[in-house]
Amino acid sequence: MAVGHNVFVLLLAVICCIGECKKRNVLLIIADDAGFETSVYNNTVVRTPHLAALGRRSLVFQNAFTSVSSCSPSRSTILTGLPQHQNGMYGLHQGVHHFNSFDGVQSLPLLLGQANIRTGIIGKKHVGPGPVYPFDFAYTEENNSVLQVGRNITRIKLLVRKFFQTQRKEEEGRPFFLYVAFHDTHRCGHSQPQYGAFCEKFGNGQSGMGRIPDWKPEYYTPDQVKVPHFVPDTPVARADLSAQYTTVSRLDQGIGLVLAELREAGYEDDTMVIYSSDNGIPFPNGRTNLYGSGTAEPMLVSSPEHRERWGGTSQAYVSLLDITPTILDWFSIPYPSYCLPGTPTTPVSLTGRSLLPALVSEPSPSVWHTVYASQSLHEVTMYYPIRSIHQGAYRLLHNLHYRMPFPIDQDFYVSPTFQDLLNNTLAGRPTGWFKTLQQYYYRDRWELFDLRSDPEETVNLAGDPAHATVLESLRDRLVKWQWDTGDPWVCGPDAVLEDKLEPHCRPLYNGL
Ligand SMILES: *[C@@H]1O[C@H](CO)[C@@H](O)[C@H](O)[C@H]1NC(C)=O
Ligand SMILES: *[C@@H]1O[C@H](CO)[C@@H](O)[C@H](O)[C@H]1NC(C)=O
Ligand SMILES: *[C@@H]1O[C@H](CO)[C@@H](O)[C@H](O)[C@H]1NC(C)=O
Ligand SMILES: *[C@@H]1O[C@H](CO)[C@@H](O)[C@H](O)[C@H]1NC(C)=O
């Protein structure tokens, strides 16, 4: 016995010497509704020195996409690696929307906890049920003001410090996963209009706004901002964007504080840091849409063990569905075998991939060239199922219930940009937008775009005979992914899914 034990200890020591036992932690930073308003993505106006510093220690992905353009669904996909239609979080979690993931989902925090990794969340959680998303350390909107834990960067700094202080007291060598979910740069006009359209006044020290001691607000004039192609170029939209930029400065300085805490606690050299956002920016054609403008995300992956490509960029197509596989790979944790309601007889498998190989060398463009997306609802009243595939130069969208008007969420409805668009449309004035409201509300069932010649996605090629082969091939791949991920919508809108015995589609003869 004693001899065996000693051999075991010796073996462990040898393995540790060659690096296998190296401590590894993860810091995941997710912004809220943030886009490419940072110098990391060549926006030369907005000042984001802390993201820029992180970018110099990261591989910067230029083709990263969310699989769903809505907050809770997206956060559920980040924390499970499963699309919304598979994990059950079809729409927003909070309030009357009431969506939750299936009880049986084996989420990232659950698997990490089982592997004795300490888990923490600071900021916006917005997913449930609680037992599916367990965290050892939790300061979220569930028992705090979301403004405090999500936008007050001094408070966030102190909570991160508290997490690291309690980490030291934990048993030696226990790794951690810390998820910091900022509420910036989300809109604010719907819930706290007194702080401005983006809560850009909250904590700025002016009368009635309170003070966030660590925040030095950065201000921009409407004529300075860069108007994305899908936002109307009007004075109102420009003023809206300049408010958004000010909240970017709070996000950026908050990220700087979090990274400084990580460094000061001595974890910088054994912690992988991932930065991204949940969905598109809250402007028309952005959030709640599966167009590129609603799904493209910033994505920075910084690994102290993979310095080869620090400061470099990758063209690989990656998805927020890749975050869970990447973190499981980092901790060498296998994905368990179990089933979910969508595929009751086939074990769930992750359709994303670990991003770690990309940190070593650029993946072959013929392999990392496809991402999928799936939207069902945002608010409970906003049913508009879309499935999409983006492969190489093409994006194909399937708008299942295309005869319904595209729904508008409350928070976006009251935004100055949308009110201006409504007013101008109603008055017959130029809107400064790249499409009409009528086009936005009523879409074709299939939308196919060639992003090389049409990056703004304005020419639908789905009906073009010259693109029939491309359309067919993308449609087949998209439907295959839907079957693989147990999508209850796989037969819609012209057939019904009969899933007893052998799942198959039965035609409805409804003329679609
Ligand atoms: C920013 O611009 C430079 C110079 O044109 C280019 O090399 C780089 O890839 C761009 N970075 C991103 C993230 O777009
Ligand atoms: C609420 O906050 C406490 C810390 O004060 C934390 O231990 C607990 O997990 C949190 N509960 C939830 C549901 O977030
Ligand atoms: C932000 O948090 C700090 C520390 O808890 C607090 O002193 C400050 O008053 C808060 N600011 C606002 C605007 O709530
Ligand atoms: C839109 O029109 C309404 C009614 O005339 C007006 O109250 C509102 O200020 C306008 N909004 C914008 C953003 O122009």
Side-chain angles (χ1 to χ4, degrees):
M1 276 294 268
V3 173
H5 177 80
N6 284 340
V7 170
F8 178 67
V9 168
L10 194 73
L11 251 177
L12 257 186
V14 170
I15 291 170
C16 289
C17 286
I18 59 171
E20 289 287 314
C21 284
K22 187 161 170 44
K23 272 187 59 186
R24 285 182 159 186
N25 309 299
V26 171
L27 170 63
L28 172 63
I29 302 174
I30 297 292
D32 204 355
D33 293 355
F36 297 94
E37 300 73 32
T38 160
S39 59
V40 176
Y41 285 94
N42 288 341
N43 181 319
T44 51
V45 175
V46 67
R47 291 177 286 275
T48 55
H50 301 285
L51 272 170
L54 179 60
R56 287 192 290 274
R57 298 172 52 93
S58 299
L59 180 62
V60 176
F61 289 91
Q62 287 181 304
N63 290 297
F65 301 90
T66 181
S67 72
V68 53
S69 197
S70 174
C71 177
S72 301
S74 178
R75 285 156 201 270
S76 77
T77 69
I78 291 170
L79 293 178
T80 65
L82 307 175
Q84 55 85 19
H85 61 247
Q86 189 174 24
N87 80 57
M89 181 70 73
Y90 305 131
L92 296 179
H93 171 68
Q94 82 278 10
V96 293
H97 314 296
H98 200 57
F99 289 97
N100 282 284
S101 293
F102 294 120
D103 292 339
V105 169
Q106 306 275 302
S107 75
L108 180 67
L110 191 82
L111 296 173
L112 296 181
Q114 286 167 358
N116 197 32
I117 292 162
R118 182 170 180 244
T119 57
I121 177 170
I122 296 167
K124 184 167 171 177
K125 187 174 176 198
H126 260 223
V127 290
V132 169
Y133 298 100
F135 286 90
D136 299 319
F137 177 102
Y139 289 83
T140 72
E141 79 283 357
E142 289 179 351
N143 54 12
N144 288 275
S145 141
V146 73
L147 288 184
Q148 291 302 328
V149 295
R151 302 204 203 239
N152 183 341
I153 60 175
T154 298
R155 177 110 171 95
I156 293 168
K157 172 188 82 175
L158 295 174
L159 286 171
V160 170
R161 187 172 296 171
K162 187 180 168 101
F163 178 80
F164 289 138
Q165 278 163 354
T166 46
Q167 174 73 17
R168 283 210 200 81
K169 295 196 199 99
E170 297 272 322
E171 55 193 285
E172 263 306 299
R174 192 174 173 205
F176 66 80
F177 165 67
L178 177 60
Y179 172 33
V180 180
F182 286 91
H183 192 27
D184 282 319
T185 56
H186 197 282
R187 284 189 179 278
C188 185
H190 179 59
S191 49
Q192 277 110 355
Q194 70 275 23
Y195 294 127
F198 281 86
C199 261
E200 71 277 7
K201 299 177 191 163
F202 170 67
N204 71 3
Q206 287 167 9
S207 152
M209 297 296 131
R211 247 183 68 75
I212 299 173
D214 288 289
W215 181 38
K216 287 181 202 65
E218 299 267 5
Y219 298 103
Y220 303 86
T221 59
D223 59 298
Q224 270 183 304
V225 300
K226 296 206 173 220
V227 183
H229 75 85
F230 55 92
V231 175
D233 195 348
T234 63
V236 171
R238 282 177 168 272
D240 213 12
L241 285 165
S242 62
Q244 181 208 28
Y245 276 27
T246 295
T247 64
V248 170
S249 74
R250 194 166 50 208
L251 169 69
D252 181 72
Q253 291 169 35
I255 290 170
L257 295 170
V258 170
L259 293 176
E261 291 300 318
L262 182 79
R263 191 176 316 123
E264 278 152 32
Y267 296 114
E268 190 178 52
D269 287 333
D270 47 32
T271 303
M272 173 168 68
V273 181
I274 300 177
Y275 168 75
S276 190
S277 177
D278 56 348
N279 47 242
I281 62 173
F283 284 87
N285 226 63
R287 189 181 67 195
T288 75
N289 286 274
L290 294 189
Y291 298 120
S293 46
T295 56
E297 298 301 337
M299 173 84 96
L300 274 51
V301 180
S302 172
S303 161
E305 293 180 36
H306 303 82
R307 301 183 181 215
E308 304 86 315
R309 304 193 69 199
W310 273 14
T313 55
S314 173
Q315 303 302 321
Y317 284 22
V318 302
S319 166
L320 300 193
L321 290 172
D322 299 334
I323 290 178
T324 282
T326 302
I327 294 174
L328 291 177
D329 186 18
W330 175 257
F331 286 121
S332 301
I333 296 172
Y335 194 67
S337 178
Y338 69 103
C339 295
L340 281 174
T343 48
T345 54
T346 317
V348 172
S349 66
L350 298 173
T351 56
R353 56 159 66 89
S354 168
L355 300 181
L356 297 186
L359 304 185
V360 179
S361 63
E362 179 70 358
S364 158
S366 62
V367 183
W368 293 41
H369 69 342
T370 309
V371 288
Y372 297 91
S374 157
Q375 180 100 12
S376 295
L377 298 100
H378 180 64
E379 294 168 4
V380 66
T381 50
M382 289 176 63
Y383 183 59
Y384 199 84
I386 317 171
R387 299 294 179 266
S388 89
I389 174 172
H390 178 188
Q391 182 166 69
Y394 294 100
R395 175 175 285 109
L396 175 71
L397 297 103
H398 186 195
N399 299 306
L400 275 79
H401 296 312
Y402 65 104
R403 289 185 179 175
M404 298 192 311
F406 186 79
I408 302 294
D409 60 291
Q410 298 171 304
D411 156 40
F412 171 61
Y413 183 85
V414 299
S415 71
T417 298
F418 193 65
Q419 286 297 306
D420 185 42
L421 184 56
L422 285 177
N423 286 358
N424 288 336
T425 301
L426 209 61
R429 289 190 295 263
T431 60
W433 201 27
F434 79 132
K435 51 172 81 168
T436 65
L437 261 188
Q438 176 74 17
Q439 289 168 329
Y440 189 63
Y441 286 145
Y442 294 99
R443 303 176 181 192
D444 293 329
R445 175 169 173 190
W446 296 97
E447 294 181 281
L448 175 66
F449 302 108
D450 181 342
L451 305 172
R452 288 165 303 193
S453 55
D454 181 27
E456 301 186 359
E457 301 178 312
T458 56
V459 184
N460 183 4
L461 300 170
D464 173 15
H467 286 85
T469 319
V470 170
L471 176 68
E472 172 102 11
S473 139
L474 292 176
R475 202 147 67 177
D476 289 350
R477 279 171 197 274
L478 179 56
V479 169
K480 180 178 183 309
W481 180 72
Q482 290 183 264
W483 282 115
D484 289 348
T485 53
D487 186 356
W489 280 262
V490 68
C491 299
D494 45 4
V496 159
L497 172 62
E498 288 298 342
D499 61 0
K500 294 291 168 280
L501 306 174
E502 193 60 34
H504 61 294
C505 297
R506 305 281 303 272
L508 283 163
Y509 307 109
N510 60 9
L512 298 178

